[in-house]
Amino acid sequence: MRRNSVNILVFGLWVMVVMPLEIKGQSQTSKTIVTRSPSVVNVGALFAVNSVIGRSAKPAVAAAIDDVNSSPTVLTETRLNLISYDTNCSGFLGTIEALQLMEKDVVAMIGPQSSVIAHLISHIVNELHVPLLSFGATDPTLSGHQHPYFVRTTQSDYYQMSAITDFVLNFEWKEVVAIFVDDDNGRNGILALGEVLAKKRAKISYKAGITPGASHSDITELLVKINMMESRVYVVHVNPDSGLEIFALAKKLGMVTGGYVWITTDWLLAVLDSSEVLDPKTMDAIQGVISLRQHTPNSDIKKSFTTKWKSIKEKQTSSFNSYALNAYDSVWLLAHALDKFFKSGGSITFSNDSKLGHITNGSKLQFSALRIFNEGTQLLQTILATTFAGLSGNVKFDQDKKLMHPAYDIVNIGGTGLRTVGYWSNHSGLSTSAPESSSYAKHLNNSSNDQCLYSVIWPGGMSKRPRGWVYPNNGKPFRVAVPYGYSYKEVVTKDKSQKGVRGYCIDVFEAAVNLLPYPVTPEYILYGDGQRNPSYSDLVRDVAENKYDAAVGDITIITNRTRIADFTQPYLESGLVIVVPLNKSKPKSWAFLRPFTVEMWLVSGGFFLFIGFVVWFLEHRSNEEFRGPPLGQIVTVLWFSFSTMFFSHREKILSTLARFVLILWLFVVLIITSSYTASLTSILTVQQLTSTIEGIDSLISSNDPIGVQEGTFSHNYLIQELNIPESRIVPLRDEVEYLNALHLGPEGGGVAAIVDELPYVELFMRYSKCEFRIVGQEFTKSGWGFAFPRDSPLAIDLSTAILQLSENGDLQRIHDKWLSTTLCSQTSILEGKSLTLDNFWGLFLVCGITCFISICIFFCRMFCAYRRYTPDEEAARGIVEPDSATCTRWFFGAISFKDVIEFYDKKEEVIKQKLRRNTRQVIRDSET
């Protein structure tokens, strides 16, 4: 619609406004004027002479024309003739003057500085094929694709808004208020700012448009309005000629003090750079303001131009701004392009536009003077392909007809001067290094090392980063939605007090709000009817849609909710757990036998007897306590065997091997008795599960119904995450329904288990007096938090307050006040099992092997002694063998089992005495 309006306006101006031309009686048929390497080429220029930009740009263009005409290397045979008009910041006059320039056969136009005028005359130059080189039209919607002959020789506001966005996010602000002049340039610039902010999860909270030519009272009213809003970060995008009025009025309203952030586009520095001496009142009103300036490197030609500026007589300012550099480079860009154009054999010709022929019939307006520049397309391509080093840096266009390598200085205004705190470029982001010092081949890097700035002095002389927002003092209540359900009144519920609500969550929220550095007065609004638990996901969705300013309650922070809303730091840890019913075991007369299985009892008893026999066997020959009549020895063995169970055996052990066996056996007995005691204790105190559900795995695999709290996320979690059929899920409202459902069980129409968050379960345990138990572990990790709309700064400040409550112990005190629970023992919640032989076979194996080895050693020693023992008949013959032979002869000689038994039954001391007598007798016989 806007484009059609522009076309109609331009067409109307052609019909009604073109200056009448004197009819010279010439034929109006198509006539072509051919000129090759002309001595003079007309160049048009449009300025708003009495403006901040115009006062710098016009002398710069004139100086550039003089420099080109005097250059020995560029256009040596051609002189540029500048024809300029003053648009007086009027789109109407600018369009008329553009038509007048077309009448004079200009090959290109420099300007205009206004984006509004550039929109209008772009249609004219497109029709007549005249390149338009604009040094001041920064409107991002002015596209070289829509207007082919429009060439922007400055940077688009899109890059300027990108720089502002990076600056805002560098200080972690998420919302800004945009103050702009309500024309095409202002609206489109702020639209670009909103797009860039949205890409990085920030936004414009309010757009404050100022009507062009607005009065002081109108501006004051607008400033008062935005001062009552939440955001304290203001981005000002207005005209240089009227922008300072905003700061003068903001100063009177106390809005340029501590806590405020003012960021301007490059219009402010265009004003300040044009003035050599800054007005003290003006500087006082803009203290701490951040402004941008198109970056231009400090080159030798720039220094030379600065020196030359002082000698220009027609200038109206003592200094110049960056737009003067762009205007100067625009002339040289055209000069280099024309030089290439002529050297390549190009010529300048114009021809009548056939589309205008029928308009002149019956009209006094002579449109035949508006002729098409035949070589305009060729000259345009030459301009876009031209590259040179200008005052503003390297001038080069990309494929989209935009100047490459956009960059800006970030300037902090403080004291009586300006201070550059950093730079921004589209390849390195924010940095303290000048853009030309880094490689343009480097891709955009958002690392914290590259995105840094020097310290900033903010309004009010503050060096600390402003918070960027305040609680709005606009009289609107802070609407807090509170879930009003049927269950767990301790958490949050309706109350008859002035607040209207009470509970654990309310006390935590109130305590956190009291720690904020600004006042917040919440208005609590009940969410739900109290008869059923409301849907917490719907509550969070309503907060995200700004139906409420916050939601306070037992709201679990889960992934799906964090995608649409912001949450504070969790003030209570939570997670899903499983609750099942239990039965206490009844006393049993033979419970003392249950710790061991039958097999374990038999093996243990057998080993007691076996160890008694082994010790008796090893001690019988040398220990009087293990000798005597057979019946007495049997009693001794039995007594000794079972007395070791209580470590109460009285018999003295003499044999080394028997001691070794006994020590190992006592260790085994210690392990067995300790295990028996522990198992028996467990069996006597056990509480048995009446449900087959023992954890998350058995919960999923079973087919029993599962109870969940109505309205909570656990319903969807079981279905969507654990793939449990919805038919198994039974919504329950409160503790009473929990209790009844668990008592009834699956067979009685109840549930086999309850799945709920741990804080609710702890309250339920207190209500049921520990009649039920938690099985397994928490299988989710989450917490409760307060919900806020996306990018709400209150969420950050309240998170800090919650951490402070946690550190000073207030959070725990509030928890103990409302949610103190009866500690229910979670031990012995599974039925005790009897210990089997598998638990001890290793001990029995080691003990058995030890006994076997000890017996083998004993037998070896006994047989050696038996062979050394000499009967009477052998002694009579004087046959005494050496010890080595005696120890090995039993392998080959016949051994009488009866003799061995008799030998074993003899006391070891008797045998030793007999051997000693035999040895002496042999010695005496050998002497005789």
Side-chain angles (χ1 to χ4, degrees):
M1 181 66 69
R2 184 178 296 171
R3 294 179 181 176
N4 293 336
S5 300
V6 172
N7 291 333
I8 294 173
L9 175 59
V10 174
F11 180 77
L13 290 172
W14 281 8
V15 175
M16 301 177 62
V17 185
V18 176
M19 299 294 293
L21 302 176
E22 182 179 357
I23 302 176
K24 299 182 179 180
Q26 299 177 355
S27 173
Q28 299 303 321
T29 58
S30 179
K31 180 174 69 174
T32 301
I33 301 175
V34 181
T35 306
R36 183 176 297 275
S37 298
S39 58
V40 177
V41 173
N42 291 336
V43 177
L46 294 176
F47 305 103
V49 177
N50 193 26
S51 67
V52 171
I53 297 177
R55 285 190 287 269
S56 291
K58 184 177 179 181
V61 170
I65 293 292
D66 292 341
D67 290 346
V68 170
N69 289 336
S70 60
S71 174
T73 58
V74 178
L75 294 178
T76 55
E77 299 179 359
T78 303
R79 176 178 172 274
L80 298 182
N81 179 38
L82 180 65
I83 306 172
S84 63
Y85 289 103
D86 181 8
T87 64
N88 198 24
C89 298
S90 169
F92 179 75
L93 291 179
T95 304
I96 294 176
E97 291 165 351
L99 293 172
Q100 289 178 322
L101 288 175
M102 296 299 103
E103 175 191 17
K104 301 185 181 299
D105 292 341
V106 296
V107 297
M109 289 178 58
I110 307 297
Q113 65 193 53
S114 168
S115 297
V116 176
I117 300 176
H119 268 289
L120 295 172
I121 65 177
S122 290
H123 297 278
I124 299 175
V125 297
N126 288 346
E127 180 66 26
L128 300 180
H129 299 179
V130 177
L132 175 65
L133 281 64
S134 178
F135 57 85
T138 58
D139 187 344
T141 62
L142 275 169
S143 169
H145 297 289
Q146 180 184 0
H147 306 289
Y149 286 85
F150 173 79
V151 179
R152 196 197 314 268
T153 57
T154 185
Q155 295 296 345
S156 166
D157 277 342
Y158 178 83
Y159 297 111
Q160 188 168 202
M161 299 308 174
S162 297
I164 291 175
T165 297
D166 285 351
F167 181 86
V168 168
L169 296 180
N170 183 70
F171 291 96
E172 299 180 354
W173 299 313
K174 293 295 185 180
E175 293 185 6
V176 302
V177 172
I179 304 173
F180 62 99
V181 60
D182 196 9
D183 60 11
D184 286 346
N185 184 55
R187 286 190 298 269
N188 293 334
I190 296 304
L191 180 63
L193 175 63
E195 291 177 353
V196 180
L197 285 171
K199 290 179 180 178
K200 300 186 178 182
R201 285 195 58 186
K203 66 178 181 179
I204 299 175
S205 60
Y206 183 75
K207 297 179 180 179
I210 300 176
T211 304
S215 64
H216 284 189
S217 61
D218 292 338
I219 298 176
T220 301
E221 182 180 353
L222 183 64
L223 291 175
V224 171
K225 182 178 180 180
I226 65 175
N227 193 37
M228 297 175 65
M229 297 179 180
E230 187 176 276
S231 178
R232 283 290 185 267
V233 182
Y234 303 135
V235 177
V236 185
H237 182 54
V238 295
N239 294 325
D241 302 283
S242 59
L244 290 176
E245 296 177 2
I246 297 175
F247 285 100
L249 296 173
K251 179 70 175 178
K252 292 180 181 179
L253 295 173
M255 296 176 64
V256 194
T257 57
Y260 290 85
V261 178
W262 290 87
I263 305 171
T264 76
T265 51
D266 60 356
W267 66 267
L268 180 56
L269 287 181
V271 176
L272 300 182
D273 290 342
S274 301
S275 305
E276 186 173 356
V277 180
L278 302 177
D279 180 25
K281 291 185 178 180
T282 299
M283 291 300 297
D284 186 53
I286 58 177
Q287 290 294 302
V289 174
I290 296 293
S291 187
L292 270 62
R293 176 200 293 130
Q294 293 186 43
H295 177 74
T296 55
N298 292 321
S299 59
D300 293 336
I301 55 176
K302 180 181 176 180
K303 295 177 182 178
S304 176
F305 178 79
T306 303
T307 303
K308 183 178 181 178
W309 181 268
K310 299 178 181 179
S311 61
I312 298 177
K313 297 180 180 181
E314 297 181 357
K315 68 179 186 297
Q316 301 180 39
T317 60
S318 57
S319 186
F320 58 88
N321 52 45
S322 60
Y323 288 96
L325 305 180
N326 293 330
Y328 185 91
D329 286 347
S330 299
V331 175
W332 273 98
L333 173 64
L334 176 62
H336 283 293
L338 285 172
D339 188 58
K340 293 180 182 178
F341 175 74
F342 290 140
K343 288 180 179 179
S344 62
S347 60
I348 297 177
T349 62
F350 295 88
S351 60
N352 294 332
D353 189 350
S354 60
K355 299 178 183 178
L356 302 177
H358 68 282
I359 298 179
T360 58
N361 296 331
S363 174
K364 295 182 180 179
L365 303 178
Q366 303 301 312
F367 291 102
S368 60
L370 302 176
R371 295 184 295 179
I372 297 174
F373 179 22
N374 294 330
E375 290 77 22
T377 302
Q378 184 180 352
L379 178 61
L380 174 66
Q381 297 303 321
T382 305
I383 290 173
L384 296 176
T386 299
T387 301
F388 71 100
L391 300 182
S392 60
N394 291 325
V395 179
K396 184 178 181 181
F397 295 92
D398 59 17
Q399 296 179 350
D400 295 327
K401 302 180 182 179
K402 299 177 182 178
L403 284 176
M404 298 179 66
H405 313 312
Y408 288 89
D409 300 337
I410 300 175
V411 180
N412 185 204
I413 301 170
T416 58
L418 312 176
R419 184 171 65 96
T420 301
V421 296
Y423 304 90
W424 179 92
S425 66
N426 68 329
H427 69 279
S428 64
L430 296 176
S431 176
T432 54
S433 301
E436 61 269 15
S437 65
S438 57
S439 174
Y440 285 118
K442 180 181 177 183
H443 292 288
L444 181 63
N445 187 351
N446 290 323
S447 67
S448 58
N449 292 332
D450 291 334
Q451 291 205 356
C452 57
L453 300 169
Y454 294 117
S455 60
V456 177
I457 304 299
W458 305 101
M462 306 295 293
S463 59
K464 182 181 178 181
R465 179 190 75 89
R467 189 168 61 246
W469 77 283
V470 295
Y471 182 71
N473 185 22
N474 53 13
K476 294 182 179 180
F478 187 71
R479 302 162 302 164
V480 177
V482 177
Y484 179 35
Y486 189 78
S487 59
Y488 300 109
K489 306 298 184 182
E490 300 91 341
V491 177
V492 62
T493 189
K494 183 180 179 181
D495 189 49
K496 295 180 180 180
S497 64
Q498 185 178 359
K499 290 187 297 186
V501 290
R502 63 179 174 85
Y504 167 70
C505 300
I506 300 301
D507 281 5
V508 173
F509 181 72
E510 293 278 349
V513 166
N514 290 335
L515 295 178
L516 296 178
Y518 44 86
V520 175
T521 306
E523 177 186 341
Y524 296 106
I525 303 172
L526 295 176
Y527 190 87
D529 56 8
Q531 301 301 314
R532 302 181 65 87
N533 293 333
S535 170
Y536 285 75
S537 295
D538 291 344
L539 171 59
V540 174
R541 188 176 300 107
D542 288 345
V543 171
E545 294 173 355
N546 292 310
K547 294 180 181 180
Y548 304 99
D549 297 316
V552 172
D554 47 338
I555 305 171
T556 307
I557 304 172
I558 58 176
T559 304
N560 290 338
R561 295 172 184 173
T562 58
R563 291 189 179 121
I564 61 175
D566 284 347
F567 286 85
T568 61
Q569 171 83 13
Y571 59 87
L572 181 65
E573 297 297 327
S574 179
L576 290 179
V577 294
I578 304 171
V579 181
V580 296
L582 297 171
N583 283 336
K584 291 186 178 180
S585 59
K586 297 179 181 180
K588 295 181 180 180
S589 302
W590 298 94
F592 68 91
L593 294 176
R594 291 182 58 192
F596 292 157
T597 61
V598 175
E599 182 184 28
M600 180 64 186
W601 279 117
L602 294 175
V603 172
S604 298
F607 254 85
F608 273 103
L609 296 174
F610 174 68
I611 294 299
F613 169 76
V614 171
V615 172
W616 172 83
F617 184 79
L618 297 176
E619 289 288 312
H620 176 70
R621 299 181 64 221
S622 58
N623 195 334
E624 288 291 342
E625 295 185 7
F626 289 90
R627 298 182 66 83
L631 182 60
Q633 295 186 49
I634 293 174
V635 172
T636 300
V637 169
L638 293 176
W639 163 256
F640 180 82
S641 297
F642 291 101
S643 64
T644 57
M645 182 186 305
F646 310 103
F647 306 96
S648 60
H649 51 284
R650 294 174 297 178
E651 291 77 10
K652 186 177 180 181
I653 305 302
L654 302 178
S655 169
T656 302
L657 291 175
R659 289 176 178 177
F660 178 70
V661 170
L662 184 59
I663 289 174
L664 184 60
W665 173 244
L666 291 179
F667 174 74
V668 174
V669 170
L670 176 65
I671 298 299
I672 292 176
T673 54
S674 299
S675 301
Y676 175 85
T677 303
S679 181
L680 181 61
T681 303
S682 175
I683 290 172
L684 294 177
T685 60
V686 73
Q687 291 174 315
Q688 302 175 9
L689 295 175
T690 61
S691 172
T692 59
I693 297 175
E694 300 178 357
I696 183 63
D697 294 330
S698 55
L699 175 77
I700 297 173
S701 60
S702 70
N703 294 319
D704 295 330
I706 304 168
V708 297
Q709 185 182 170
E710 184 181 59
T712 61
F713 81 100
S714 54
H715 180 277
N716 291 336
Y717 182 86
L718 294 179
I719 297 174
Q720 298 174 4
E721 301 297 331
L722 302 184
N723 297 318
I724 294 177
E726 188 173 5
S727 58
R728 291 181 57 193
I729 310 301
V730 180
L732 303 172
R733 292 195 303 172
D734 63 351
E735 304 95 318
V736 177
E737 292 191 2
Y738 276 23
L739 193 65
N740 294 334
L742 287 173
H743 280 161
L744 291 173
E747 296 80 6
V751 297
I754 298 288
V755 174
D756 207 347
E757 295 182 74
L758 184 59
Y760 300 130
V761 170
E762 290 176 346
L763 290 173
F764 174 65
M765 290 296 191
R766 182 177 69 178
Y767 175 80
S768 64
K769 299 179 181 180
C770 299
E771 185 179 348
F772 306 95
R773 286 293 181 268
I774 299 172
V775 294
Q777 302 294 326
E778 291 183 57
F779 53 92
T780 64
K781 291 293 183 181
S782 58
W784 291 356
F786 305 132
F788 291 88
R790 206 75 158 139
D791 301 320
S792 172
L794 256 179
I796 300 175
D797 288 354
L798 276 177
S799 294
T800 304
I802 290 172
L803 290 175
Q804 187 175 346
L805 288 175
S806 177
E807 292 171 357
N808 61 25
D810 289 344
L811 194 61
Q812 185 61 43
R813 282 189 285 273
I814 297 173
H815 179 275
D816 295 341
K817 172 185 175 182
W818 292 97
L819 306 181
S820 59
T821 58
T822 302
L823 294 178
C824 300
S825 175
Q826 297 300 316
T827 60
S828 300
I829 63 172
L830 296 177
E831 182 179 358
K833 294 182 179 180
S834 300
L835 299 174
T836 66
L837 184 61
D838 294 337
N839 302 113
F840 301 98
W841 70 269
L843 286 174
F844 288 130
L845 178 63
V846 171
C847 188
I849 293 175
T850 303
C851 292
F852 176 75
I853 294 174
S854 298
I855 292 174
C856 290
I857 294 174
F858 178 81
F859 268 112
C860 290
R861 293 174 58 188
M862 188 187 71
F863 279 123
C864 290
Y866 173 74
R867 282 302 185 182
R868 292 175 59 195
Y869 179 75
T870 306
D872 294 340
E873 62 272 21
E874 292 183 357
R877 294 195 301 267
I879 302 173
V880 179
E881 298 178 354
D883 291 345
S884 58
T886 303
C887 293
T888 57
R889 206 183 76 183
W890 65 276
F891 286 103
F892 307 98
I895 298 176
S896 171
F897 180 74
K898 180 180 179 182
D899 294 340
V900 172
I901 295 300
E902 291 178 353
F903 177 80
Y904 171 75
D905 191 50
K906 293 180 183 225
K907 290 188 65 174
E908 188 174 2
E909 184 62 27
V910 174
I911 295 175
K912 289 182 179 179
Q913 292 177 1
K914 179 67 174 177
L915 289 175
R916 284 195 294 269
R917 287 198 303 269
N918 291 343
T919 302
R920 287 195 296 267
Q921 182 65 35
V922 171
I923 294 173
R924 287 195 298 268
D925 293 343
S926 62
E927 290 177 354
T928 58

